Amino acid sequence: MSEPEDQGDAHGDADRGDLSGDLRSVLVTSVLNLEPLDEDLYRGRNYWVPTSQRLFGGQIVGQALVAAAKSVSEDVHVHSLHCYFVRAGDPKVPVLYHVERTRTGASFSVRAVKAVQHGKAIFICQASFQRMQPSPLQHQFSMPTVPPPEELLDHEALIDQYLRDPNLHEKYRVGLNRIAAREVPIEIKLVNPPSLNQLQTLEPKQMFWVRARGYIGEGDIKLHCCVAAYISDYAFLGTALLPHQSKYKVNFMASLDHSMWFHAPFRADHWMLYECESPWAGICGSRGLVHGRLWRRDGVLAVTCAQEGVIRLKPRVSKSKL
């Protein structure tokens, strides 16, 4: 098995290396642990459900990639995937994943995955796998300079800090309480969290350190890619909302498509910097586009992501004080 490089021991991640099995990441033991039903047919269970009461898109992407990866040999690894969400997922029933072996070549292999509930497709995906091939053609952008995760508040502590502020507007207080109640299997530390005064004038950009909760270990690269697929959808489309949340509230928001490109080995249970930005959102079609880059903390660009979603807003109405 090929293993991702260990990039975190000098920064406090080494203590995860000797954790016992009962502390393994729930993403591995439950969310991404598919039940085989037949050849190229799997059943996935649901774990965390957003407040929208629709299935979390990252779960479907991650489980679909698990199903696709089971149909290829150990010496090939995913380099890209392209997905469409075609119906809302029902959190009350499992998801069936059917894999089609589109092509198995000497260097590249392609798999199509269809996720089904109630007899209808809710999601379709194409994933391409490649054998490792060294190349002299190498370059990448530079990783942003940001504080390390050890110097930042975790998501729960940051939300608690906001909620303790007596000047926090009620429209933000309600949303933060909902976020605090979530049991999400990932850890997040926001870089440069905005102050209350800055919430009115945010750019469509955000950065946060992220990793899977619990221990995964130096397993197959494919497993870490599947975990990253789950992580990549969290708070991603919300980047397009940041400049508008003071004037509008969400009436409906859902992912339409999701793409990922995998560039270098990594460990999803080590801290990675998720750099997100929305270059465009338009009134025509009520859609928003977001781009993302997942950086290893040693500066290597590991994953690039892109997503478009539908975002329907309605103006916030100020309550009269009379």
Side-chain angles (χ1 to χ4, degrees):
M1 278 191 178
S2 299
E3 297 180 347
E5 294 179 11
D6 189 352
Q7 337 97 27
D9 289 355
H11 304 282
D13 287 319
D15 58 345
R16 292 185 168 206
D18 57 0
L19 294 179
S20 58
D22 61 347
L23 294 180
R24 282 179 60 81
S25 172
V26 70
L27 283 171
V28 174
T29 61
S30 178
V31 181
L32 300 178
N33 187 18
L34 301 185
E35 176 189 358
L37 301 177
D38 202 342
E39 184 178 22
D40 294 334
L41 181 64
Y42 303 90
R43 177 161 51 204
R45 302 291 179 177
N46 305 324
Y47 182 72
W48 171 68
V49 178
T51 54
S52 65
Q53 294 304 302
R54 298 188 300 270
L55 283 183
F56 174 49
Q59 174 191 302
I60 305 174
V61 178
Q63 290 180 340
L65 185 54
V66 169
K70 289 180 179 295
S71 71
V72 299
S73 59
E74 289 190 357
D75 60 342
V76 298
H77 302 283
V78 64
H79 72 87
S80 69
L81 60 86
H82 304 280
C83 318
Y84 283 96
F85 301 93
V86 296
R87 288 183 178 87
D90 182 354
K92 297 186 294 295
V93 299
V95 183
L96 297 179
Y97 295 92
H98 178 259
V99 181
E100 178 184 323
R101 305 190 183 205
T102 307
R103 180 179 186 270
T104 301
S107 298
F108 290 89
S109 296
V110 177
R111 299 293 184 261
V113 183
K114 181 188 294 184
V116 177
Q117 284 185 320
H118 304 296
K120 296 181 179 179
I122 64 169
F123 169 90
I124 54 176
C125 174
Q126 297 275 353
S128 182
F129 298 79
Q130 182 187 20
R131 280 189 171 82
M132 295 291 189
Q133 298 176 358
S135 171
L137 183 67
Q138 296 184 19
H139 69 263
Q140 67 164 55
F141 286 174
S142 296
M143 178 180 174
T145 302
V146 299
E150 292 79 15
E151 296 181 7
L152 301 173
L153 292 176
D154 62 35
H155 212 213
E156 293 80 5
L158 180 62
I159 290 174
D160 183 64
Q161 185 181 83
Y162 282 135
L163 291 174
R164 289 176 182 273
D165 193 318
N167 296 317
L168 180 66
H169 195 285
E170 187 63 23
K171 65 185 178 184
Y172 296 125
R173 190 174 298 276
V174 172
L176 287 171
N177 275 311
R178 286 177 180 171
I179 294 172
R182 296 173 179 173
E183 294 184 5
V184 185
I186 57 179
E187 297 178 75
I188 290 174
K189 293 192 175 185
L190 196 64
V191 176
N192 297 323
S195 65
L196 292 182
N197 293 333
Q198 293 172 323
L199 290 175
Q200 308 286 332
T201 57
L202 294 177
E203 290 187 275
K205 298 179 180 180
Q206 62 176 337
M207 288 188 289
F208 51 89
W209 290 99
V210 62
R211 67 180 177 185
R213 291 190 186 276
Y215 174 72
I216 298 176
E218 298 182 11
D220 190 347
I221 294 174
K222 295 187 185 70
L223 178 59
H224 288 273
C225 290
C226 294
V227 174
Y230 182 100
I231 289 173
S232 68
D233 190 42
Y234 188 78
F236 195 26
L237 187 57
T239 309
L241 283 173
L242 294 177
H244 313 289
Q245 58 187 0
S246 62
K247 295 182 180 179
Y248 299 93
K249 58 182 179 180
V250 176
N251 191 37
F252 178 82
M253 184 168 71
S255 305
L256 294 172
D257 57 28
H258 191 82
S259 294
M260 300 181 71
W261 296 264
F262 299 87
H263 311 306
F266 59 91
R267 280 187 58 172
D269 57 347
H270 286 181
W271 286 115
M272 302 179 72
L273 180 68
Y274 201 8
E275 179 189 11
C276 307
E277 60 184 2
S278 175
W280 174 88
I283 191 171
C284 180
S286 298
R287 300 190 315 278
L289 177 68
V290 286
H291 294 159
R293 288 184 281 269
L294 273 168
W295 300 89
R296 290 188 343 206
R297 63 182 300 164
D298 62 356
V300 172
L301 179 60
V303 185
T304 299
C305 310
Q307 183 179 106
E308 189 176 47
V310 59
I311 306 173
R312 297 180 183 137
L313 306 176
K314 55 184 178 182
R316 294 188 181 275
V317 179
S318 300
K319 293 182 181 180
S320 173
K321 297 182 180 180
L322 297 178

